[in-house]
């Protein structure tokens, strides 16, 4: 049997031949960036596919997060989750905002709405939750709190391309949602990202902020950044969009097969699907419980010796990194559920080109190492 390295994800690429005509179009047009024709076409195509009103493309998700906070003029303190990729909290520090970590829900590992109110102070201006692994947050509960305390809500939706909750895009909740099109994500443009917002006026402000704050040739209204997506990435995105349906379908099959074949292994617990949601199967996290027999880290290391590179997303927690750990809200006692999950979680390989035999290799190794 093959023993080739198996990574947690493998970038999903269109056939190169399909990309060549749009590359030629970019070359011929001589528009390479600055909101050229591909950029505009890709924005419209994404709005239609995702079922959202307005979208502004970025060169990556992190710059989109930074700009979303700037566009909404967020200051002071922002409530966020420690259980995410580090860019979530970094976007706050880059804006001079103090992150306030709140613990996560033990079932979906998203920001726990029941714990948000206790963390609100007079300095709080916004909530930045993450739809972790593409599982929708409790958007209704978060909206209720935001309305009561007059807070903005910016969702880090980097995992949630194509996810729906109760029949509509999860990107339509909150004031803004931020996507990442990084190579490792469900939908990629090599590097890329976007902000989803609700009206043309807000999109205009975002478009100015991603272009240094220029509003016309000679007027600069804010210390904006260079966050523009290039024509190359936009052209690639348009081709990728032709294949996303098939990619999500294939991911769904892999997800279902893991659930069926891991079900009888004691101590291996799959995250339950969220009720009422259309998932994108962006990750396949399992929790390694004591009944499994060996720890998560032992399983992680043993899988590596078999050339299977599962990942401990999200360990360490953001709140454990040196630039955050001195914050009062970063104390382990404040975040027991997140700490517990970070010790037990392991994300298994899931990507459209994962073969049935490679998936079986993963399942067999997990089965052989347990009690
Ligand atoms: C990937 C990711 C980001 C950053 O996106 P980039 O496009 O890589 O800058 C932010 N937040 C979360 C939760 C992510 O997974």
């Amino acid at each position: 049997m093959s023993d080739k390295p198996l990574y947690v994800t493998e970038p999903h690429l269109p056939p190169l031949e399909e990309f060549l005509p749009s590359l030629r179009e970019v070359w011929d047009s001589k528009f390479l960036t600055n909101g050229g024709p591909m950029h505009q076409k890709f924005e419209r195509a994404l709005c239609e596919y995702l079922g959202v009103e307005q979208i502004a493309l970025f060169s990556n998700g992190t710059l989109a997060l930074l700009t979303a906070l700037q566009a909404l003029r967020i200051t002071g303190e922002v409530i966020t989750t420690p259980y995410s990729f580090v860019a979530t909290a970094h976007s706050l520090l880059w804006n001079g905002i103090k992150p306030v970590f709140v613990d996560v829900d033990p079932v979906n590992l998203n920001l726990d709405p029941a714990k948000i109110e206790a963390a609100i102070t007079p300095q709080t201006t916004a909530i930045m939750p993450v739809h972790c692994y593409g599982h929708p947050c409790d958007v209704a509960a978060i909206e209720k709190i935001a309305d009561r305390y007059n807070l903005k809500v910016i969702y880090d939706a980097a995992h949630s391309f194509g996810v729906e909750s109760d029949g509509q895009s999860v990107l339509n909740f909150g004031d803004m949602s931020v996507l990442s099109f990084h190579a490792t994500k469900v939908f990629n443009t090599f590097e890329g990202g976007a902000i989803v917002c609700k009206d043309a006026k807000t999109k205009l402000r975002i478009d100015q902020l991603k272009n240094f704050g220029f509003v016309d040739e000679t007027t600069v209204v804010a210390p904006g950044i260079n966050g523009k997506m290039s024509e190359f990435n936009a052209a690639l995105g348009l081709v990728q969009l032709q294949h996303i349906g098939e990619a999500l379908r294939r991911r769904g099959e892999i997800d279902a097969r893991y659930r069926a074949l891991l079900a009888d292994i004691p101590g291996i617990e799959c995250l339950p699907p969220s009720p009422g949601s259309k998932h994108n199967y962006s990750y396949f996290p399992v929790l390694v419980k004591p009944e499994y027999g060996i720890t998560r880290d032992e399983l992680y290391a043993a899988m590596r010796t078999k050339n299977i590179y599962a990942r401990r997303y999200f360990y360490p927690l953001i709140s454990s990194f040196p630039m955050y750990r001195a914050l009062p809200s970063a104390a382990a006692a404040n975040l027991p559920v997140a700490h517990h999950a970070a010790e037990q979680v392991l994300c298994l390989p899931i990507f459209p080109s994962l073969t049935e035999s490679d998936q079986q290799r993963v399942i067999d190794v997990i089965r052989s190492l347990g009690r």
Side-chain angles (χ1 to χ4, degrees):
M1 272 310 283
S2 83
D3 200 23
K4 71 170 166 67
L6 200 49
Y7 299 101
V8 74
T9 190
E10 193 171 272
H12 190 55
L13 290 174
L16 182 58
E17 295 67 35
E18 274 181 45
F19 184 42
L20 294 179
S22 20
L23 260 192
R24 184 167 303 284
E25 221 177 301
V26 172
W27 253 247
D28 290 347
S29 81
K30 302 240 179 351
F31 269 105
L32 307 185
T33 181
N34 287 45
M38 286 294 176
H39 189 281
Q40 293 175 35
K41 212 164 138 186
F42 186 34
E43 284 191 343
R44 285 193 298 272
L46 279 175
C47 280
E48 189 168 324
Y49 176 78
L50 294 170
V52 301
E53 284 300 316
Q54 302 283 344
I55 202 159
L57 295 172
F58 277 78
S59 45
N60 62 62
T62 303
L63 287 173
L65 281 171
L66 290 184
T67 304
L69 291 162
Q70 206 187 9
L72 290 167
R73 299 178 170 85
I74 304 298
T75 58
E77 298 178 359
V78 170
I79 290 171
T80 190
T81 169
Y83 194 82
S84 179
F85 182 61
V86 72
T88 310
H90 275 4
S91 72
L92 299 172
L93 283 199
W94 271 93
N95 277 294
I97 296 163
K98 181 177 166 188
V100 175
F101 296 110
V102 163
D103 208 1
V104 296
D105 176 281
V107 177
N108 62 20
L109 304 179
N110 288 328
L111 200 56
D112 187 344
K115 299 191 178 137
I116 291 176
E117 280 192 77
I120 296 174
T121 75
Q123 282 72 49
T124 309
T125 56
I127 309 172
M128 184 180 268
V130 179
H131 303 295
C132 193
Y133 310 127
H135 290 220
C137 292
D138 187 343
V139 290
I142 291 169
E143 187 170 314
K144 230 168 153 182
I145 297 165
D147 287 350
R148 190 174 316 138
Y149 293 90
N150 196 22
L151 305 175
K152 302 284 187 199
V153 180
I154 301 127
Y155 282 104
D156 180 337
H159 300 174
S160 341
F161 189 93
V163 171
E164 291 179 10
S165 184
D166 293 323
Q168 76 153 312
S169 171
V170 79
L171 305 171
N172 285 325
F173 296 97
D175 294 277
M176 291 183 190
S177 292
V178 175
L179 291 163
S180 165
F181 307 145
H182 182 255
T184 57
K185 304 298 205 271
V186 159
F187 177 85
N188 87 85
T189 59
F190 287 14
E191 291 269 8
I195 300 178
V196 172
C197 65
K198 307 213 150 140
D199 58 87
K201 193 167 154 243
T202 308
K203 171 172 158 57
L204 182 64
R205 175 157 168 84
I206 294 167
D207 284 343
Q208 292 163 351
L209 290 174
K210 79 177 185 193
N211 189 32
F212 312 97
F214 275 106
V215 301
D216 62 37
E217 222 177 288
T218 53
T219 317
V220 175
V221 293
I225 207 156
N226 179 3
K228 306 182 303 292
M229 177 180 278
S230 84
E231 289 290 276
F232 179 93
N233 302 95
L236 182 62
L238 280 163
V239 180
Q240 291 286 62
L241 209 48
Q242 305 297 312
H243 297 277
I244 184 68
E246 172 62 16
L248 295 184
R249 193 193 58 74
R250 180 68 196 122
R251 282 176 175 275
E253 285 174 3
I254 295 165
D255 181 285
R257 199 152 175 272
Y258 270 137
R259 287 180 191 282
L261 297 178
L262 295 172
D264 65 336
I265 304 180
I268 295 292
E269 211 169 89
C270 303
L271 237 66
S274 308
S277 298
K278 184 184 151 221
H279 285 283
N280 65 2
Y281 315 103
S282 46
Y283 297 85
F284 197 86
V286 296
L287 297 177
V288 184
K289 300 276 174 180
E291 311 87 79
Y292 181 64
I294 60 172
T295 66
R296 185 276 312 271
D297 284 341
E298 286 163 344
L299 173 59
Y300 164 81
M303 288 174 83
R304 288 176 73 92
T305 69
K306 312 265 184 209
N307 250 352
I308 299 172
Y309 298 90
R311 294 294 298 267
R312 293 169 290 184
Y313 298 141
F314 287 98
Y315 166 85
L317 295 178
I318 299 177
S319 47
S320 302
F321 289 121
M323 65 296 302
Y324 299 105
R325 65 184 171 216
L327 292 167
S329 66
N334 185 47
L335 308 166
V337 181
H339 274 278
H340 201 59
E343 293 297 327
Q344 295 192 331
V345 73
L346 193 61
C347 285
L348 305 182
I350 185 165
F351 48 89
S353 54
L354 181 67
T355 63
E356 208 168 292
S357 65
D358 280 340
Q359 189 179 9
Q360 196 61 49
R361 229 176 96 198
V362 177
I363 295 161
D364 290 345
V365 167
I366 296 175
R367 189 176 293 282
S368 72
L369 292 165
R371 217 184 330 250

